[in-house]
Amino acid sequence: MPSLQDELLPSTPGKFKIDHRGPHHRHLHRCFASTSTMFLWALFLIALTASYLSFQSFIDTGNRFITTSWGGIQWERQVRSSAQIHRSGGMSVLVTGAAGFVGTHVSLALKKRGDGVVGIDNFNNYYDPSLKKARRGQLQKQGVFVVEGDINDARLLAKLFDVVAFTHVMHLAAQAGVRYAMENPSSYVHSNIAGLVTLLETCKSADPQPAIVWASSSSVYGLNEKVPFSELDQTDQPASLYAATKKAGEEITHTYNHIYGLSITGLRFFTVYGPWGRPDMAYFSFTRNILQGKPITIYRGKNRVDLARDFTYIDDIVKGCVGSLDTAGRSTGSGGKKRGPAPYRIFNLGNTSPVTVPTLVSILERHLKVKAKRNIVEMPGNGDVPFTHANISLAKQEFGYKPTTDLQTGLKKFVKWYLSYYGYNHGKPVN
Ligand SMILES: O=C(O)[C@H]1O[C@H](OP(=O)(O)OP(=O)(O)OC[C@H]2O[C@@H](n3ccc(=O)[nH]c3=O)[C@H](O)[C@@H]2O)[C@H](O)[C@@H](O)[C@H]1O
């Protein structure tokens, strides 16, 4: 019968052989042979393992802290330097969604004329984040720092206002896309409702309060049939959750204007397109598919009527954004208290000449020198509206807004950018 000692000790032949090799080995054997010593060794090993594991977890926690995307002296220095104003009477603007399509263009325009600009963007993967990172690269080159963070992060927003007394906020961060709202409804509530409220809460408490210009959407006109769409028209028939969240944004910002004296300007953008655009939009995905020789799906309205959009070129939209910032008027509150009435404005930013989707495709074919494979289907009930058409007289009156780029010219510039950015890797042009 094996003794307890035998059971505890490994009975490898090798071990026992050691015993016969000399006094040192005999000593080792005696040492291991003692049960209490074994127990001590076991305790020692357990303690060693435990301290190793807790050290690892300390390092991990430390890393999480160290690699967090905001905070620290260096970070604050970058924020301050990016917010620096380089012209007399200039503004310091916090641009949300700065790595987005419109955000990038507006940030560059502001920086170019000497305003201070700090960006914030969460770099989500609604579409290829590498395009957003490339846009950030463009911004960095011009000295615009983009903080990686979400507008739902109240601590981050408060910190930014701690570091810089922003005079203006250009709020462009949003969950965009009309049809995607059926796939991922909560992302619209997260960004366009909850994120907006978090931002407004920060702005209302800031001292001084900034003036806010933000992106609403032409989609708020929904099923409106009166053309062209005027800001005075009813907007209570949204056709998509996207439109409903943008409409909600208009009501929410009104509340903050009313209670806290925040200066608010909402811009209803009409299907913005151009270089560095959004890959989820029709003109962009059509270009990619045409070059790859893949079919494109063209939606058609009831009774075979073509869908139409008041496509608006990015440079015109930028002029509208900058004009809105320049004429925004001050917020009147401080420390969360209203001191008097502040401006509340809403403007259409469109092109005033709707073009049908099949015409858009024909223009792309001409610029790409490739024939599209058209697959025409009836518009599914997915939130789309049959047409949009902006009346822009209010924006014209207020800050001289006047779009100057037609779809033909704008798409030429887009295609030139597309080919220079992606090359022909996305497909081989025929011809
Ligand atoms: O003005 C806005 O506020 C919105 O503009 C944009 O929405 P839309 O006007 O719907 O643009 P976009 O998707 O390019 O579809 C254009 C046309 O192509 C048709 N379309 C689309 C896709 C397709 O596969 N086939 C097709 O025919 C489609 O039926 C439509 O008729 C922004 O995406 C949105 O975020 C918001 O800013």
Side-chain angles (χ1 to χ4, degrees):
M1 202 109 157
S3 69
L4 181 64
Q5 188 172 317
D6 290 338
E7 272 178 3
L8 284 174
L9 281 171
S11 58
T12 57
K15 194 89 187 171
F16 286 104
K17 269 181 208 154
I18 289 169
D19 195 31
H20 301 290
R21 281 190 202 154
H24 177 64
H25 289 102
R26 266 200 303 278
H27 171 72
L28 265 181
H29 175 67
R30 266 201 306 280
C31 180
F32 276 104
S34 139
T35 313
S36 57
T37 311
M38 273 303 294
F39 182 66
L40 283 175
W41 270 105
L43 266 185
F44 175 67
L45 282 174
I46 288 166
L48 200 68
T49 314
S51 52
Y52 171 75
L53 288 177
S54 61
F55 181 61
Q56 272 303 109
S57 114
F58 168 74
I59 287 176
D60 282 347
T61 318
N63 273 346
R64 262 205 303 281
F65 183 71
I66 290 160
T67 57
T68 191
S69 45
W70 62 272
I73 292 169
Q74 178 59 20
W75 179 86
E76 286 187 22
R77 211 172 279 150
Q78 283 175 298
V79 171
R80 266 195 209 97
S81 143
S82 191
Q84 204 89 52
I85 299 170
H86 295 287
R87 70 179 176 100
S88 85
M91 45 178 94
S92 54
V93 190
L94 176 65
V95 179
T96 73
F101 171 35
V102 180
T104 300
H105 285 278
V106 172
S107 298
L108 287 172
L110 292 171
K111 192 73 184 177
K112 193 169 172 196
R113 68 177 201 171
D115 291 320
V117 182
V118 176
I120 173 172
D121 202 294
N122 70 3
F123 292 89
N124 70 21
N125 61 1
Y126 167 59
Y127 60 80
D128 182 10
S130 76
L131 179 59
K132 299 179 184 183
K133 295 203 172 120
R135 293 190 193 121
R136 176 173 64 184
Q138 299 294 307
L139 291 169
Q140 261 164 359
K141 270 195 236 158
Q142 302 307 318
V144 177
F145 180 53
V146 182
V147 174
E148 188 161 351
D150 197 292
I151 49 165
N152 282 282
D153 187 344
R155 279 181 54 235
L156 167 57
L157 294 181
K159 181 74 188 169
L160 284 167
F161 275 87
D162 249 15
V163 177
V164 177
F166 292 106
T167 57
H168 294 75
V169 171
M170 182 81 227
H171 175 47
L172 298 164
Q175 176 58 62
V178 173
R179 291 162 289 280
Y180 180 63
M182 292 180 73
E183 263 175 68
N184 189 359
S186 61
S187 67
Y188 290 79
V189 178
H190 177 79
S191 295
N192 304 358
I193 307 280
L196 174 65
V197 171
T198 308
L199 178 71
L200 292 169
E201 280 291 316
T202 308
C203 294
K204 125 211 157 187
S205 308
D207 195 6
Q209 288 177 336
I212 300 166
V213 177
W214 74 285
S216 181
S217 159
S218 73
S219 65
V220 300
Y221 289 105
L223 306 175
N224 184 29
E225 286 184 346
K226 190 170 153 282
V227 279
F229 299 165
S230 149
E231 293 88 343
L232 302 173
D233 293 347
Q234 294 266 90
T235 49
D236 52 4
Q237 288 184 290
S240 65
L241 182 66
Y242 170 69
T245 59
K246 285 296 183 181
K247 178 62 189 166
E250 293 186 354
E251 313 294 10
I252 290 167
T253 50
H254 184 269
T255 313
Y256 277 79
N257 166 266
H258 173 67
I259 302 179
Y260 301 110
L262 281 175
S263 162
I264 301 285
T265 306
L267 301 176
R268 293 177 178 166
F269 294 160
F270 281 70
T271 315
V272 190
Y273 71 98
W276 295 98
R278 273 173 36 209
D280 62 310
M281 288 184 67
Y283 73 95
F284 202 119
S285 63
F286 285 173
T287 299
R288 188 178 49 223
N289 281 14
I290 291 171
L291 285 174
Q292 287 178 344
K294 289 183 185 161
I296 58 170
T297 303
I298 299 175
Y299 302 134
R300 191 159 60 187
K302 286 206 177 78
N303 306 319
R304 302 176 153 250
V305 175
D306 290 331
L307 303 182
R309 288 289 180 275
D310 197 1
F311 296 101
T312 310
Y313 189 63
I314 183 64
D315 290 1
D316 291 324
I317 289 293
V318 170
K319 280 187 234 155
C321 291
V322 173
S324 299
L325 286 166
D326 286 343
T327 55
R330 287 177 189 276
S331 292
T332 63
S334 90
K337 287 228 168 66
K338 180 179 174 180
R339 294 261 161 81
Y344 179 84
R345 312 180 299 169
I346 289 192
F347 297 115
N348 286 341
L349 291 186
N351 192 48
T352 70
S353 42
V355 176
T356 67
V357 177
T359 305
L360 163 89
V361 175
S362 305
I363 299 173
L364 284 175
E365 287 179 321
R366 261 201 308 284
H367 291 320
L368 293 166
K369 301 188 181 68
V370 185
K371 205 94 195 102
K373 292 178 184 152
R374 298 162 190 239
N375 176 25
I376 298 171
V377 303
E378 191 167 318
M379 180 173 84
N382 57 8
D384 254 334
V385 292
F387 62 87
T388 62
H389 183 179
N391 175 333
I392 55 163
S393 49
L394 261 185
K396 187 175 174 200
Q397 192 182 305
E398 190 82 0
F399 47 86
Y401 174 69
K402 188 172 176 287
T404 55
T405 308
D406 62 18
L407 189 60
Q408 174 90 14
T409 313
L411 282 179
K412 188 170 182 185
K413 292 182 181 179
F414 165 72
V415 166
K416 188 169 174 222
W417 167 80
Y418 185 98
L419 295 177
S420 72
Y421 185 75
Y422 292 108
Y424 287 90
N425 297 344
H426 274 202
K428 271 195 189 147
V430 182
N431 191 346

